[in-house]
Amino acid sequence: MDFRSQLAQELPHLRRFARALVGDPALADDLVQDCAERALVKSHRYDPARPLRAWLYAVLRNSFGSVLRRSGLST
């Protein structure tokens, strides 16, 4: 299975995780979209020997941190 197909299968899990982080479904969907875009651009950095979901969660957390920093909400 190619990377894009695997990423598509992980989207529901990413949405659930993003909603837990931000609480707002619309903001969570934006965060998941940003994560998916970053994952596609950086797919060459993914190590197939490791679980894709864990890598995507790290990408999503980093995206969330970037959003917080940009908005000035980080501590």
Side-chain angles (χ1 to χ4, degrees):
M1 185 181 306
D2 71 329
F3 183 82
R4 287 175 182 258
S5 298
Q6 291 177 353
L7 174 61
Q9 287 185 338
E10 295 298 329
L11 289 176
H13 301 283
L14 291 173
R15 282 191 185 104
R16 198 172 314 124
F17 182 51
R19 286 181 182 170
L21 285 174
V22 298
D24 180 345
L27 291 176
D29 286 343
D30 290 345
L31 188 59
V32 170
Q33 180 178 349
D34 185 51
C35 172
E37 289 173 4
R38 288 181 188 210
L40 288 170
V41 169
K42 304 285 186 178
S43 63
H44 64 280
R45 300 186 75 185
Y46 168 63
D47 177 6
R50 297 181 177 253
L52 178 60
R53 188 175 301 168
W55 185 74
L56 290 171
Y57 280 4
V59 172
L60 191 133
R61 273 193 316 273
N62 291 339
S63 296
F64 179 60
S66 295
V67 168
L68 287 178
R69 282 190 297 282
R70 280 190 299 243
S71 67
L73 296 175
S74 64
T75 56

